[in-house]
Amino acid sequence: MCDGNNNVGQDGNILLPKEVEVVEAKKVTASETHFVLKMKNGDAMDYKPGQIVEAGVLGYGEVPLGFASSPTQTEKTGTFDLVVREVGKVTKALVSLQPGDTMTMRGPLGNGFPVEEFEGNDVLIVAGGIGLCPTRSMIKYILDKRDDFKKFTLFFGSRTPAEQLFVEDLDVWRGAEDVDYKEIVDNADENWKGKVGVITQLFKELDELNPETKVIICGPPIMYKFVIAELKGFDVPDENIFVDLERRMKCGVGKCGHCQINDKYVCMDGPVFRFSEIKDLEEAI
Amino acid sequence: MSGYYIPSEGLQSFAQSLMAKMPVVAPVAKGKRFIFDQLGDVAELRLDYDTTVLPPKKVFFPPKQDLLEFDEGKATSCLDPQAKVLLGVHPYDIKAISMTDKLFSDNYADSNYLANREVAVIIGSNVQTPYERAFYGSIAQDLELVGHDAFLTKISDGYVLDVVTEKGEKLIADLGLADASAEQTSEAEGVNAKADEDCPVKLPFAAGDVSEKVRNSFKSEIWDELSKDCFSCGSCNLVCPTCYCFDVQDEWGLGASNGKRYRRWDGCLSSEFSEVSVQGGSENFRENRAERYRHRFMRKTAYLNDKLGAPACVGCGRCAGACTADIADPVNTITRIMES
């Protein structure tokens, strides 16, 4: 869980953000922009895959986002990635930022994926739509430390081919031997030669799935229960399933109350939850 | 620490001498009701108040609080704690403050609250006129009365001031107060010992039983029935001494390069509280008023108990009085669930 006030701003004010420089800003779909970022003023960004930040623009506000890069990249280059989908006032201000501009940031926040528990095991990541962004931190981490993990399977579903994110990564993963990558779209266009349908159809292509596999699920709220039902068919225990949840998070530090599910704060106790720990919590899935 | 005696006619000069040291926030009349406000004229002090419209948490956690200022892309913290005396806080509100102290300190300590809290000196006072909807005598009984620096108890011919912290001693050290006699101290103890008996409304259930039964009723249809008249106005949230949810917003200054980020009280009863923007619209994780109404009661009776050591309700009765539809009273709702 959180380490206390290890990332607070001036005066110990947990709500005062730090400054981040936009290194690259690439519009990757009609609504999404992929940012490569670097901390300013000598600040460090030490994070775990699956952790989040509150990214913002002064005068507009902040939004919670998961790291889209692996800490292994940040160690090498000093940069990290976020993807912003334009859906409202704050995200509109964020996507207008250009290289050289300043973004504000508080974090890392939240717990992240329990990486150590995944090591030495088969891993399956099921990502729907923009759910590929936070899971990419783990995907890239696994690929950078491939020997630490056994079989690695990745499912990615998007609404249309045009809405696929990280197309350069997808090209690499399609041909890669170190990841068994499977993809599907809800609605094809004339150029799409792949599978069409919902993400759960990809489970039909699995001959087997080791019940010991550690599974990560991240996608639109509707997706979770259907994917979990498929995993039950392969006898994957609830302890091995990790869900990465989205909620409204204003403060990111377990105070403002918006993300609360029962006695859990998604921003602080999550956003990653072991399914066995929240399956009986109403309002969670 | 020590007990002092203040004769009835000496109360105003006592308050006056505090005002000479720092601002004093205390209960004063506002129309037919009472509010905590900075004392301008000591004659306004009303220690016989029943309850205040808003709880004293507003002194540390104002309804709107600046968090940071920015100009030309540079942000600075707005922390600016002002020492003050918070005088006349009833025991239920002292308990509530001890809860918000804990909640704002846990995990990530929130200096925007704590800085204001640390420079405040709290002088409690016993309830002289119980509020008709109050039930503090039968809830949060296991919670120790802590967090205040001194406590004033009305006795037959004046007040006994019990000073319980060094901060409190330091405040009154040079006021030349007389020591309370053994009889006066004993009378004050007697007054406080029977305070809960005089509380008008009783909640006749143990906290553990309430927590368990309410929690287990999560899927019950009773929430639809209980909330059917809810306007989702959030008044119950706003007057609650243990509610501490907030929204954060930015606003621009006239210069268009500068502005502020502030937080303001928010309430889980409002329809957009759990709503997020998503592609092509929004997703609301508690879309129905019954879900929101239930969330508030779960939070008051069950969710925070482990963290606080008691339910997050101190029985002030403010929500009962503030609710237009009169469906927010915890006594009525808990009783209805316990008997279902």
Side-chain angles (χ1 to χ4, degrees):
Chain A
M1 298 300 156
C2 82
D3 306 323
N5 290 0
N6 61 345
N7 48 24
V8 298
Q10 152 214 358
D11 295 348
N13 188 346
I14 48 169
L15 300 177
L16 184 76
K18 291 178 176 167
E19 295 180 354
V20 175
E21 182 188 337
V22 175
V23 178
E24 285 176 42
K26 193 164 56 173
K27 194 167 164 64
V28 289
T29 69
S31 57
E32 277 111 9
T33 300
H34 180 167
F35 288 100
V36 179
L37 304 157
K38 193 175 187 173
M39 297 304 291
K40 290 170 77 166
N41 308 320
D43 291 324
M45 183 57 89
D46 298 320
Y47 61 98
K48 283 168 59 175
Q51 281 195 293
I52 57 174
V53 291
E54 286 280 353
V57 183
L58 294 173
Y60 296 90
E62 296 179 312
V63 291
L65 295 170
F67 284 98
S69 55
S70 163
T72 47
Q73 167 194 320
T74 310
E75 280 164 25
K76 274 185 233 155
T77 64
T79 64
F80 56 94
D81 298 15
L82 294 175
V83 173
V84 180
R85 172 180 279 180
E86 186 184 335
V87 289
K89 180 188 73 168
V90 181
T91 48
K92 185 175 181 180
L94 280 166
V95 300
S96 71
L97 296 176
Q98 298 300 316
D101 287 348
T102 298
M103 191 182 283
T104 68
M105 204 154 290
R106 291 185 296 118
L109 303 166
N111 57 358
F113 300 111
V115 173
E116 300 77 18
E117 193 178 328
F118 279 57
E119 286 169 358
N121 284 294
D122 290 358
V123 177
L124 166 65
I125 295 179
V126 183
I130 202 167
L132 188 61
C133 301
T135 50
R136 184 177 183 257
S137 65
M138 189 67 178
I139 297 165
K140 289 281 203 179
Y141 183 87
I142 292 170
L143 293 174
D144 279 349
K145 293 183 175 274
R146 191 62 190 86
D147 293 344
D148 293 350
F149 303 87
K150 289 189 186 160
K151 182 172 169 50
F152 178 30
T153 308
L154 171 59
F155 289 178
F156 175 45
S158 60
R159 287 207 280 202
T160 64
E163 287 171 78
Q164 283 196 325
L165 293 160
F166 306 112
V167 289
E168 289 159 16
D169 288 335
L170 302 186
D171 274 343
V172 173
W173 300 340
R174 281 181 193 114
E177 289 183 357
D178 53 1
V179 52
D180 182 8
Y181 172 70
K182 296 180 191 305
E183 63 186 345
I184 194 162
V185 297
D186 291 349
N187 299 295
D189 60 19
E190 62 271 23
N191 298 320
W192 180 254
K193 302 209 170 31
K195 289 175 278 291
V196 179
V198 294
I199 197 163
T200 45
Q201 283 176 235
L202 295 174
F203 281 94
K204 294 187 174 52
E205 299 184 17
L206 286 182
D207 298 329
E208 56 171 8
L209 182 68
N210 178 357
E212 299 298 308
T213 303
K214 303 288 181 185
V215 183
I216 289 170
I217 309 171
C218 186
I222 185 75
M223 194 184 90
Y224 293 85
K225 58 184 171 202
F226 292 105
V227 171
I228 289 165
E230 293 290 337
L231 293 170
K232 295 291 105 185
F234 288 96
D235 297 324
V236 177
D238 296 337
E239 291 73 25
N240 284 358
I241 301 171
F242 296 85
V243 294
D244 190 347
L245 298 185
E246 178 183 17
R247 283 296 184 278
R248 184 167 176 199
M249 303 176 208
K250 276 285 181 174
C251 74
V253 287
K255 306 290 183 210
C256 79
H258 291 91
C259 69
Q260 197 182 19
I261 305 172
N262 281 251
D263 58 347
K264 311 273 188 210
Y265 283 88
V266 175
C267 68
M268 194 175 68
D269 302 318
V272 179
F273 292 94
R274 193 188 295 272
F275 182 57
S276 54
E277 287 170 7
I278 58 155
K279 69 174 179 174
D280 295 326
L281 282 193
E282 302 87 351
E283 299 182 342
I285 298 290
Chain B
M1 296 283 165
S2 336
Y4 301 92
Y5 170 66
I6 301 171
S8 297
E9 64 278 10
L11 181 69
Q12 290 195 358
S13 65
F14 167 69
Q16 192 77 56
S17 56
L18 297 177
M19 287 161 68
K21 292 170 185 278
M22 58 180 93
V24 174
V25 175
V28 299
K30 173 115 177 171
K32 291 179 179 168
R33 305 196 59 194
F34 298 92
I35 61 167
F36 276 99
D37 202 2
Q38 186 170 328
L39 281 183
D41 178 351
V42 74
E44 293 171 346
L45 176 63
R46 290 290 300 273
L47 289 183
D48 62 338
Y49 76 107
D50 55 357
T51 197
T52 53
V53 176
L54 292 180
K57 72 176 179 190
K58 68 177 186 177
V59 172
F60 320 119
F61 176 46
K64 184 181 179 200
Q65 180 180 24
D66 290 339
L67 301 171
L68 53 98
E69 291 177 312
F70 58 86
D71 195 11
E72 302 288 350
K74 294 283 175 197
T76 50
S77 183
C78 284
L79 295 182
D80 184 24
Q82 304 289 329
K84 57 189 68 159
V85 176
L86 179 52
L87 173 65
V89 183
H90 283 163
Y92 54 84
D93 275 335
I94 293 176
K95 287 184 179 180
I97 290 171
S98 73
M99 289 183 189
T100 50
D101 285 353
K102 183 159 181 39
L103 294 163
F104 279 112
S105 307
D106 264 2
N107 299 309
Y108 294 92
D110 186 347
S111 51
N112 296 288
Y113 171 95
L114 294 171
N116 291 335
R117 178 68 182 87
E118 278 156 18
V119 296
V121 188
I122 298 179
I123 302 178
S125 72
N126 71 303
V127 178
Q128 298 179 30
T129 316
Y131 177 48
E132 59 182 2
R133 306 293 296 261
F135 57 102
Y136 51 76
S138 49
I139 196 165
Q141 291 297 297
D142 297 339
L143 200 68
E144 206 185 343
L145 189 66
V146 290
H148 58 299
D149 300 290
F151 194 86
L152 266 177
T153 306
K154 176 89 172 71
I155 57 172
S156 47
D157 60 347
Y159 297 84
V160 169
L161 178 69
D162 192 20
V163 181
V164 297
T165 66
E166 280 180 26
K167 195 153 89 174
E169 283 289 357
K170 202 172 154 208
L171 180 75
I172 59 103
D174 61 352
L175 300 187
L177 298 177
D179 288 340
S181 68
E183 292 75 28
Q184 288 162 339
T185 304
S186 160
E187 187 185 346
E189 283 169 2
V191 166
N192 290 321
K194 74 181 274 291
D196 286 346
E197 289 171 30
D198 298 335
C199 183
V201 184
K202 301 267 183 282
L203 179 69
F205 309 102
D209 296 343
V210 170
S211 166
E212 193 180 338
K213 182 83 192 251
V214 173
R215 185 65 191 79
N216 289 337
S217 69
F218 196 99
K219 290 181 173 151
S220 165
E221 288 174 2
I222 201 167
W223 300 106
D224 294 307
E225 177 200 322
L226 290 167
S227 66
K228 70 181 186 332
D229 293 331
C230 179
F231 295 110
S232 301
C233 70
S235 296
C236 53
N237 296 132
L238 298 182
V239 300
C240 178
T242 70
C243 271
Y244 64 107
C245 289
F246 57 86
D247 186 25
V248 181
Q249 293 290 334
D250 287 15
E251 65 185 6
W252 289 96
L254 292 175
S257 68
N258 66 320
K260 283 178 176 173
R261 178 165 295 166
Y262 63 91
R263 66 179 170 192
R264 64 178 174 204
W265 293 355
D266 203 351
C268 58
L269 267 293
S270 71
S271 59
E272 68 271 28
F273 186 78
S274 297
E275 192 171 64
V276 294
S277 296
V278 296
Q279 198 167 32
S282 62
E283 172 84 29
N284 194 332
F285 294 96
R286 274 188 289 278
E287 196 163 11
N288 306 317
R289 61 187 166 181
E291 294 168 339
R292 299 192 292 272
Y293 180 95
R294 176 180 64 196
H295 181 73
R296 169 170 175 261
F297 276 99
M298 289 289 165
R299 202 167 144 109
K300 294 299 165 200
T301 61
Y303 291 168
L304 294 170
N305 293 24
D306 286 348
K307 198 178 271 190
L308 297 173
C313 174
V314 293
C316 67
R318 288 185 179 96
C319 56
C323 179
T324 308
D326 199 0
I327 54 165
D329 189 338
V331 175
N332 294 341
T333 299
I334 290 170
T335 301
R336 182 76 182 78
I337 290 168
M338 294 305 282
E339 291 174 352
S340 68

